[in-house]
Amino acid sequence: LTQQAEIRTAAYTRLAQLLDDPGAVQCAPLLQALHGIFNAEFAKYYQRDRAFDSPINFQLCVSPATHRVAMPIDAFLQCYAKLAKRDVPPASGAAGSSAWADVCARLANAQLEDFELDADCDYTLMSAAGLRNHNTARLVIGSLDAAIAYALDGALHASGDPALVVELFTKFQRFADVLCTRSVDERGRRTIAGASELSQMTLPTVLRVLQFVTPDARRADASAHALNTDATPHTWFVERVGRAGMWRANPALTRHLLDVALARVSSAAEPPTHAVLHLAYVVYSGALAHCTAAEQPAWLVERGTKGRSALLIAAEILAACSTMLSGRGLLDHVFVAVVRPQPQLFAFDADAPHAQPVAVVAQCAEQLMGALRTAVDALLALRPAMVRET
């Protein structure tokens, strides 16, 4: 963790993935060691004094000589956010949680000018000033992304305010829009496709939230649903669906979470099978299954929004999940996971799921294909006049 920025970024990224493993978060010696290292590192960049506009000293994170990232504070905070939520002795974790609450509150109220930036800055990579502004903005936006991940987890566990997530996301979206719009190459073409490209949330983090933002109505309505177990009972699910109501009412936030999930399942990092199966189930049951419903969720029938709809992103995610698992010889498990979800398919250690009976796979495949055909017919009937089928 004293090496150059690229090595530290890789280390923080892999540690963040490790902390998604239930086995790792039950290992007290590991958590205590990581807390000691991360608390000491965090103290170097955290500005507790509110006389400073920013809670993080981003100037220390960008080299004054090369204007390149010297400390990947965004990747560091993404990992530190996961650590702060883990059970450790009070002496190790209390200070971290208190500092995180301060970081989130101050970032939610921050303006670009607090980081010596503004909407009219040069953010290209073709000048020293542009390179410095570009890298600083990326670190600020990435830190907002880490704060969102921390606040999401806190709100789902009743220890945080759901409104804080919306405030942080609004700021993230505004800053990201400035950087994406003004970061262009020598031909004037954008170098950043969209806000989701600036997010470092892991797939398990996004999944934990999406299952409540785009909930399975069947699970919410029936206590006997297969996923309502002793560990995650019906009341547990319904309570968290209720807490996510404010996020569900924000179409931009819902689309962003779906976009991040699509980016993760489409990446070269090869996400684990259990997470891909779980994601396929979540987007089908929470979005695509509503295509033919008499009353669709409000977030699914958004009007007047730019870009791809949440429904289209959900369809792209299901296609990406199917493509990925087909390459692993596990396409039959997608049919079963979507139509007849079972806890064991989504368990962390389910990367070599047992073969499904042929009859069950055939029934599930037929049911899913029928539902998707009906959904396609319904969507084509809604297309604007003069728009041809493609």
Side-chain angles (χ1 to χ4, degrees):
L1 300 180
T2 61
Q3 299 300 313
Q4 56 264 47
E6 293 80 6
I7 293 178
R8 273 186 284 181
T9 298
Y12 296 141
T13 300
R14 293 299 291 171
L15 281 171
Q17 294 170 356
L18 174 67
L19 290 170
D20 286 325
D21 184 336
V25 300
Q26 293 172 8
C27 181
L30 171 65
L31 294 182
Q32 290 176 13
L34 289 177
H35 260 284
I37 295 170
F38 274 71
N39 285 342
E41 192 73 5
F42 179 71
K44 298 177 185 177
Y45 303 94
Y46 174 46
Q47 300 183 131
R48 188 184 303 275
D49 188 348
R50 284 180 170 261
F52 295 100
D53 293 321
S54 170
I56 303 295
N57 189 342
F58 289 101
Q59 290 184 341
L60 292 178
C61 301
V62 179
S63 168
T66 65
H67 307 300
R68 298 189 179 279
V69 174
M71 166 58 174
I73 194 70
D74 50 347
F76 170 86
L77 291 176
Q78 197 71 237
C79 190
Y80 193 47
K82 293 179 182 293
L83 266 177
K85 292 294 183 181
R86 304 308 175 195
D87 292 330
V88 291
S92 301
S97 297
S98 174
W100 258 111
D102 179 58
V103 168
C104 289
R106 291 164 68 184
L107 284 178
N109 293 317
Q111 303 299 325
L112 273 174
E113 290 73 14
D114 297 336
F115 313 105
E116 300 184 11
L117 303 169
D118 62 59
D120 297 321
C121 277
D122 176 10
Y123 291 99
T124 67
L125 304 179
M126 296 171 286
S127 68
L131 185 61
R132 181 184 65 250
N133 294 336
H134 181 100
N135 285 327
T136 301
R138 270 188 173 269
L139 293 176
V140 171
I141 293 167
S143 298
L144 274 164
D145 181 59
I148 292 170
Y150 179 87
L152 282 167
D153 190 71
L156 285 176
H157 290 85
S159 60
D161 181 5
L164 177 60
V165 173
V166 177
E167 293 170 12
L168 286 165
F169 173 71
T170 300
K171 202 71 64 172
F172 170 91
Q173 190 179 32
R174 187 179 305 160
F175 290 4
D177 184 60
V178 170
L179 182 61
C180 291
T181 301
R182 300 192 63 83
S183 180
V184 296
D185 61 17
E186 60 275 6
R187 296 185 179 180
R189 297 174 299 189
R190 291 190 179 189
T191 59
I192 304 173
S196 61
E197 190 176 320
L198 300 170
S199 174
Q200 297 184 42
M201 283 190 201
T202 61
L203 182 55
T205 295
V206 179
L207 258 175
R208 277 195 297 272
V209 180
L210 271 181
Q211 64 179 321
F212 306 118
V213 174
T214 61
D216 182 351
R218 297 172 302 173
R219 183 178 180 185
D221 293 341
S223 59
H225 191 279
L227 295 183
N228 291 328
T229 64
D230 291 340
T232 56
H234 181 243
T235 53
W236 173 90
F237 182 74
V238 172
E239 181 184 3
R240 280 158 178 75
V241 169
R243 290 180 198 164
M246 181 179 292
W247 309 334
R248 198 160 44 250
N250 188 315
L253 176 56
T254 302
R255 285 200 313 276
H256 174 70
L257 291 171
L258 288 168
D259 256 331
V260 173
L262 177 60
R264 295 298 167 269
V265 81
S266 304
S267 72
E270 290 287 314
T273 295
H274 69 89
V276 179
L277 288 172
H278 195 184
L279 181 60
Y281 155 73
V282 167
V283 297
Y284 176 78
S285 63
L288 299 174
H290 294 288
C291 286
T292 57
E295 285 191 33
Q296 296 184 2
W299 65 268
L300 205 56
V301 290
E302 53 196 314
R303 296 285 185 260
T305 55
K306 296 181 180 179
R308 289 148 46 248
S309 67
L311 194 59
L312 177 56
I313 302 172
E316 292 176 356
I317 290 174
L318 182 60
C321 291
S322 301
T323 299
M324 175 163 286
L325 293 182
S326 177
R328 301 178 187 179
L330 296 172
L331 183 60
D332 53 338
H333 287 77
V334 176
F335 303 138
V336 179
V338 167
V339 177
R340 297 184 188 178
Q342 298 292 329
Q344 58 268 29
L345 283 174
F346 309 145
F348 193 88
D349 57 355
D351 279 349
H354 297 296
Q356 299 291 332
V358 175
V360 172
V361 173
Q363 291 172 1
C364 292
E366 183 178 4
Q367 185 175 338
L368 177 59
M369 291 301 103
L372 292 178
R373 287 191 196 98
T374 303
V376 169
D377 291 341
L379 291 171
L380 289 176
L382 295 174
R383 72 189 188 276
M386 307 304 293
V387 175
R388 289 194 293 178
E389 196 173 320
T390 58

